[in-house]
Structure formats: C-alpha cells, structure tokens
Amino acid sequence: MCGIVGCVLNKKAAPTIIDSIKKLEYRGYDSIGIATVTDTINLKKGSGKINEVDSEINLKDIDGNIGIAHVRWATHGNPTKENAHPHCDCKNNISVVHNGIIENYKELRQELIKEGHIFKSDTDTEVIPHLIEKYMMEGQDFLTSVQTTIKRLVGSYALAIISKDNPHEIIGVRNESPLIVGVGENGNYLASDVPAILNETNKVIYLEDKEIIILKQDNVQIMDFDLNPIKKEITTITWNSEMAEKGGFEHFMLKEIYEEPQVIKDTLSESKKIQEIVQKFKKFNRICFVACGTSYHASLIGEYLIESQIGIPTEVILASEFEYFNKTLDDHTLVIFITQSGETADTIKALKVAKEKSETLAIVNVVGSSITREADHVIYTRAGPEISVAATKTYLSQLICIYLLVAHMGENQELLHKLDEISDLSEELLTHEEQIKEIAKKYKFAKDFFYIGRGFNYPTALEGALKLKEITYIHGEGYPAGELKHGPLALIDDNIPVVGILPPGPSYNKTYNNLQEIRARGADIIILGASNDTQIDDVEDKILFNPIIDEIIAPLLYIIDLQLLSYYISIEKNIDPDKPKNLAKSVTVE
Ligand code: F6R
C-alpha cells in the first residue's frame, strides 16, 4: 500500500514524476503529493485521485530536476490534504515520502514535540523528517542523519528523502517495504514497483531490506545500514510499459480478463521448470499452503487437488493467521506461499517464520519481489503486470501453476493433457459477455448474493463472492453447496440471487438437488453449467453454458463467468472496478 517515486534528472522532473506515480495508483488513491528541490523545497499535495488533484492544482507545474512523490492508502490519519505525503520538518528543509508503518511513532512524536518540533499531520511518517532535522541541527550531515534516524524507527519503511541543503541527491531506504532503483539515460529513479519507471528505463536494481541508496543524476550508490558499499546487479526487464496500459479496454480489469487465454498458455509453458522443481519434493509427507485473499482461494483448490490426486495431507492457512499454526512444521513439510505481488506483508512474515523449520516454495507473479528472494524455490506465474486492484488473470495463472505442480508430483499425464485444452476453451467463456451484462442489469440492486459450489468448485464460489464484494460493494457469500441447509438457508428468499456452480462430475447430482432446495424457497438461481446439460435447461432462471469439462478442471474456466459478472455489476453501479474504495493492490502492512 502506498506508492513512492523519486527521480534525479537532467531536466525538469515533475512531468516524469507525475507520469510515474500514476502507474502506482493501484497501490493507493486516497491522496497524492509531490515535492521537488530548487533553492527551496517546493510542495504540492491534495486528497483524492491523481487526476482530481491534478486538475485543481496542476501537479506538473513545479520546478526542479529532483523530486519525490507519493500516492497514499491511509493507515494512520484520515485521507486529508494535511495527511498527504510528502511530509516536511519544521522549516520545510527536508521532505519525505514513506510506504510502510512506523510502529513506535507515538513515542517518537511525544519526544520531538517536547523538544519543540511542530507537527502538521496525524501520520506516523511525519516523525521521520523531524528526526532528520534534529540530527542535522546537531551537526550530522544529511546521510548520517538519515542513518541515525532509521536506527530509531521500528516498523516497515521504504523512504525517499530530499533536503534543501543537498539539492543534487535523493536518499532512499528500504526496510520491509518494496523499493527498486531504475537506471536511465536522463537520470536515475526510485520506485515502489517496476511499472512506475518502465516508460523511462528497463534497467532495474532490486533492493534488499536494510539498504540505503544515494541517488544522483549520473550515479547510484547502495550501502547497508552501516554505510558499507554493496555491489548490485542491474536486471533488464523484458516486458514494456505498453503491457501495463489499457490497450483500448475501458478498464484494466476487463483487459486483464481478456488476457486470460494467453496467460493460461504462457503459464503452461512453465511446465518443464515445474517438473524439474518437483523432483526435489519427493521427501515431503505434508504440504501447507499460506496466502491471503484471492491467492488463498487458489491455495484451497490446491488442497483439494493434492489430497484427491496425490494423497498427501494438505492444509491451507491464511497468512495473517499463520503464527497460530506454525508449531508443527518440520523438515518433512513443504510450505507453499502463493502471492501475486510477492510483497504482501502478512505472507512475507509467515515465510520468514516457516523458513526456520521447513522448505519453502513461492508461486509469485512479480519478478524480483521480496518473497522471491526469501523462498527456497520460486515458480513464476507469467501473468504479466496486473494493474486492476481485483485479481483476475493472476488467479488463473496461480491455478495453472498449482495444477501443473500436482500433475507433475503425481505424474498424472491425463491431467496434463486436460490442461493443454484450457486456453482455447477459455476463449468460449469470453463470449458470455452480452448475457452477463443482462444478468448484471437485473441484479445490480441486490443487497446480498450467495455463491455455492462443491469440492473443487467450492473455492470458486468463495472467489466469485470476493470479486463481487470488492468491486460492486454488494455483500456476497461463498458456501459449500451441502452446507447451506445447516443454517444459511434461513436467509434465502426471493431477494437473494444464488449462483450455482454445476459442472458435470461426481458432485453434480448433490449440488443440483441443493439448488432445487434453494429454488423452492423463492430465490433466483443463476447456473454455471455444461453446454450439454439438459436437466437445467427448463428449470433454472439464468444459465451460463460452459464447455463440457469435468468438475476437477472447472475451476480454471467457470471463474471467468464470475469475474465478468462482478465487472458488469460494478459498471451498472457506476463504480470504477479498477480502484475499489478502501483497497489497494499490494498490501504491505500487517
Ligand atoms: C482480491 C485481491 C486480494 C489479494 C490479496 C493477496 O482481488 O487481489 O485479495 O489476492 O491481497 O495479495 P497477493 O496475492 O499479492 O499476496
């Protein structure tokens, strides 16, 4: 959460900085701010999305070749202009943007107030410029003051700092929040994530925790917290900024759903690498998945697959709950971390704990992200940049990796063959758009939705409900089909649409009967079924006919209907599906 950018250029920096920070708006959009250095610190900020603030105060109209900017996802302090970053010291000589949380900010703030510092915001961040000011007033230079300051901070932080008295450099710091360096022809860059700088350069240095950077126009120095120099490799990024643009679609979310057939193909091409990795997994007699949100739902499908296809005891633990379940880990347990961003704080924390006792595998989308550098083994999901806050194509790419993993672990050729057909079949789902638009129109006023599925398709129900909540603000609940009669059936009436996931297979009859029980209580039913299913034809209200595939493969296709359904309900409700309120793409706080 929160995105930061900094650049030191051979030209006016603000236009580049604002274009770059726009690429990070998925990380937070509560407020935006920019600061540059000339013979003074120039500052502009406001609450709201970048375009809204820009149209009021013209953010690019600010001089200086060096600058920093921030988009905020509020943690401490309301999303107001006062709380927007950058934050300054008392005399506006130092300016800081921060992603992360300073856990001991209350004590530091009290101490600084006692010493006469004047605070202008409610944020945890503001203690940082005041501490740097304090140490500079005591005679330390800029770098040493930053070093002394970070020794006093407890928590997570990626920082970019400018000083009026040091007008040729930005100091960056990384500790438990993401930060990368871009090395370009017109100067150098700092950013929370690669898409921010791809228009300027594809040469990237990935930073580790506890590193300090001095960024100048023609050079970048990286050192540890004791200021010992560190040599780092420059990585060339192979995807370009266009791949992170909307490409003619109204929203990133729709574009990303349309990319799914290609993403499935690209991820399937990792099959050989996955086959090689699983050769090392023969000794494990227990598997534990750890993840959050959508990645958690992908993990649940992994659990069903491994238990049913390979017979290894498997469990799935939410990363934020992991600390209560890690006591029984041992060297015969493989712990698999699933994460799109590779930067989710809960997942990183769990990985650090798991590593002490067990071998770890990370299934990650963002190359070079923090988790890829912590895990023993890494599989990349090959979905490319996902900009919309709601995960769509990355979920499918995670599922493909999990299916490949299971197929190779179980040497299951039949499953591998079934996977080969999935990309082509997924194209068919995209033809449901018009029908789904009609369903979205009909149900946009619903207050609650139920999604039911059984076995492999129960996690699809959970993921469908999560997508609905995230981008339509309608309450959606995913339930195992057989469990509804144990309580929630009491809620069912003609105001609640129920989505039934009903692919052919051993679970079909039971789920079909559960849907009849619901129908008998007056609910409207939307069925996702196979195109040759004649039983549902005349009984149900709305049917989305899908390719004829067995229930074990259905999670790879049926979710596309549910992603499109949520997308079109959000459009009907005039909500921007790419930027749902209160959410951020990368959740870098616990
Ligand atoms: C939902 C969504 C979130 C993420 C969750 C974990 O659409 O995107 O629920 O899945 O925040 O994020 P990663 O996968 O980056 O660890």
Side-chain angles (χ1 to χ4, degrees):
M1 352 277 260
C2 300
I4 67 175
V5 162
C7 37
V8 187
L9 302 181
N10 57 9
K11 57 179 183 179
K12 182 175 168 177
T16 306
I17 294 176
I18 296 303
D19 288 344
S20 297
I21 200 76
K22 278 185 182 166
K23 300 281 188 318
L24 296 184
E25 211 175 7
Y26 69 87
R27 300 178 70 89
Y29 28 84
D30 289 335
S31 61
I32 157 77
I34 176 170
T36 61
V37 201
T38 48
D39 49 354
T40 180
I41 297 276
N42 313 290
L43 188 68
K44 284 192 173 192
K45 57 185 179 176
S47 69
K49 293 181 181 157
I50 300 177
N51 284 343
E52 293 161 11
V53 177
D54 192 30
S55 63
E56 271 172 38
I57 59 173
N58 194 359
L59 292 160
K60 290 183 180 172
D61 183 19
I62 179 168
D63 283 336
N65 292 5
I66 295 192
I68 54 177
H70 184 274
V71 279
R72 180 163 186 249
W73 184 83
T75 56
H76 294 74
N78 294 338
T80 58
K81 180 178 173 186
E82 291 67 35
N83 289 334
H85 298 216
H87 290 289
C88 295
D89 63 321
C90 298
K91 300 197 193 99
N92 278 5
N93 286 341
I94 296 149
S95 191
V96 176
V97 288
H98 166 217
N99 169 31
I101 291 181
I102 306 303
E103 289 165 20
N104 61 336
Y105 82 99
K106 281 197 179 132
E107 301 100 90
L108 293 170
R109 190 178 164 110
Q110 282 315 317
E111 171 191 316
L112 289 158
I113 287 171
K114 268 195 205 134
E115 289 173 9
H117 290 260
I118 313 278
F119 279 75
K120 300 174 206 102
S121 77
D122 304 322
T123 63
D124 51 337
T125 304
E126 201 185 341
V127 297
I128 300 169
H130 288 285
L131 280 172
I132 298 171
E133 173 183 37
K134 166 184 159 109
Y135 296 122
M136 283 182 89
M137 277 167 55
E138 286 173 14
Q140 295 184 14
D141 62 22
F142 183 28
L143 178 62
T144 321
S145 309
V146 171
Q147 185 197 24
T148 316
T149 295
I150 57 182
K151 281 189 181 149
R152 304 219 40 212
L153 303 179
V154 177
S156 56
Y157 43 90
L159 304 171
I161 310 160
I162 50 176
S163 151
K164 187 191 100 173
D165 300 327
N166 299 267
H168 302 295
E169 66 193 31
I170 297 175
I171 296 185
V173 185
R174 174 185 162 135
N175 185 48
E176 294 184 13
S177 291
L179 193 64
I180 55 112
V181 169
V183 181
E185 280 174 9
N186 294 321
N188 294 313
Y189 310 82
L190 276 175
S192 301
D193 200 356
V194 175
I197 57 159
L198 274 181
N199 269 344
E200 307 302 320
T201 179
N202 64 350
K203 304 268 181 280
V204 167
I205 301 173
Y206 291 104
L207 301 170
E208 305 289 334
D209 285 342
K210 302 208 183 310
E211 289 184 348
I212 299 180
I213 309 96
I214 301 181
L215 199 78
K216 295 191 176 164
Q217 192 221 303
D218 53 1
N219 117 344
V220 179
Q221 285 167 265
I222 300 174
M223 54 206 108
D224 63 21
F225 276 13
D226 294 323
L227 307 186
N228 301 308
I230 302 176
K231 250 192 132 32
K232 307 280 283 193
E233 252 178 53
I234 297 182
T235 305
T236 304
I237 301 294
T238 50
W239 42 278
N240 57 33
S241 67
E242 222 167 71
M243 288 164 84
E245 302 290 341
K246 278 189 206 152
F249 286 89
E250 202 182 335
H251 295 100
F252 281 112
M253 182 174 175
L254 191 60
K255 175 190 172 231
E256 287 159 3
I257 293 172
Y258 266 82
E259 285 170 354
E260 287 176 334
Q262 187 59 44
V263 165
I264 292 171
K265 268 196 196 120
D266 292 345
T267 310
L268 282 172
S269 72
E270 295 295 295
S271 182
K272 268 227 140 24
K273 277 190 210 148
I274 294 175
Q275 189 178 19
E276 277 161 29
I277 289 183
V278 304
Q279 300 314 314
K280 300 172 190 150
F281 294 166
K282 302 237 187 288
K283 66 173 184 179
F284 298 115
N285 59 18
R286 179 184 169 209
I287 292 177
C288 178
F289 284 92
V290 182
C292 309
T294 290
S295 302
Y296 172 76
H297 296 151
S299 304
L300 287 174
I301 295 180
E303 181 185 24
Y304 277 92
L305 282 171
I306 295 175
E307 288 268 350
S308 67
Q309 305 301 303
I310 327 184
I312 299 179
T314 304
E315 66 204 296
V316 187
I317 302 172
L318 285 164
S320 55
E321 296 289 311
F322 187 69
E323 61 186 291
Y324 310 105
F325 291 95
N326 61 43
K327 299 284 179 289
T328 56
L329 294 182
D330 58 25
D331 56 1
H332 288 286
T333 307
L334 173 67
V335 190
I336 306 179
F337 293 83
I338 311 254
T339 168
Q340 184 285 128
S341 61
E343 299 293 353
T344 303
D346 290 321
T347 313
I348 295 177
K349 178 144 187 232
L351 172 55
K352 287 184 175 158
V353 172
K355 265 174 76 170
E356 289 169 15
K357 292 185 180 168
S358 297
E359 220 164 296
T360 57
L361 162 70
I363 299 181
V364 186
N365 191 43
V366 178
V367 176
S369 54
S370 301
I371 282 188
T372 63
R373 280 168 289 135
E374 295 274 346
D376 299 312
H377 312 278
V378 177
I379 295 173
Y380 283 111
T381 51
R382 300 283 309 271
E386 187 176 67
I387 306 300
S388 180
V389 165
T392 52
K393 63 173 179 170
T394 55
Y395 174 69
L396 262 173
S397 68
Q398 292 171 341
L399 289 184
I400 292 288
C401 284
I402 292 170
Y403 274 77
L404 285 172
L405 191 78
V406 173
H408 286 304
M409 283 175 85
E411 295 174 10
N412 184 338
Q413 294 307 320
E414 195 191 333
L415 187 55
L416 283 171
H417 284 136
K418 284 184 181 163
L419 293 177
D420 283 341
E421 297 169 6
I422 289 300
S423 170
D424 289 345
L425 294 177
S426 66
E427 304 264 4
E428 283 181 40
L429 278 281
L430 298 173
T431 64
H432 291 166
E433 238 183 316
E434 290 311 313
Q435 208 189 337
I436 289 175
K437 279 183 194 168
E438 288 308 309
I439 300 176
K441 268 198 186 89
K442 180 164 180 198
Y443 295 112
K444 67 179 171 188
F445 296 117
K447 294 254 181 307
D448 304 280
F449 263 72
F450 268 94
Y451 291 72
I452 64 164
R454 198 178 268 266
F456 305 106
N457 294 287
Y458 160 49
T460 306
L462 292 174
E463 177 59 11
L466 178 63
K467 287 288 93 83
L468 186 82
K469 282 183 272 214
E470 273 184 291
I471 62 164
T472 72
Y473 314 151
I474 296 173
H475 168 243
E477 203 162 328
Y479 238 80
E483 191 61 18
L484 227 63
K485 58 186 178 293
H486 297 291
L489 212 51
L491 293 171
I492 298 295
D493 62 25
D494 53 8
N495 290 317
I496 301 187
V498 178
V499 178
I501 301 162
L502 192 64
S507 307
Y508 178 92
N509 281 340
K510 283 191 205 154
T511 309
Y512 180 84
N513 291 337
N514 297 140
L515 283 165
Q516 296 310 320
E517 289 152 19
I518 292 164
R519 197 160 209 281
R521 270 103 192 148
D524 276 9
I525 293 178
I526 302 157
I527 294 246
L528 276 50
S531 56
N532 65 344
D533 186 337
T534 48
Q535 203 173 193
I536 50 178
D537 214 6
D538 51 351
V539 216
E540 311 306 342
D541 303 305
K542 299 275 173 207
I543 308 169
L544 292 167
F545 282 119
N546 285 330
I548 307 156
I549 44 155
D550 188 73
E551 62 182 42
I552 185 168
I553 291 288
L556 294 167
L557 294 184
Y558 282 43
I559 189 60
I560 301 174
D561 282 332
L562 301 183
Q563 293 168 344
L564 285 170
L565 179 62
S566 294
Y567 174 79
Y568 279 110
I569 295 178
S570 91
I571 299 303
E572 282 296 325
K573 296 184 75 172
N574 226 359
I575 292 168
D576 178 351
D578 287 341
K579 293 180 192 144
K581 68 175 156 63
N582 305 336
L583 300 181
K585 183 82 186 151
S586 189
V587 187
T588 53
V589 291
E590 277 180 57

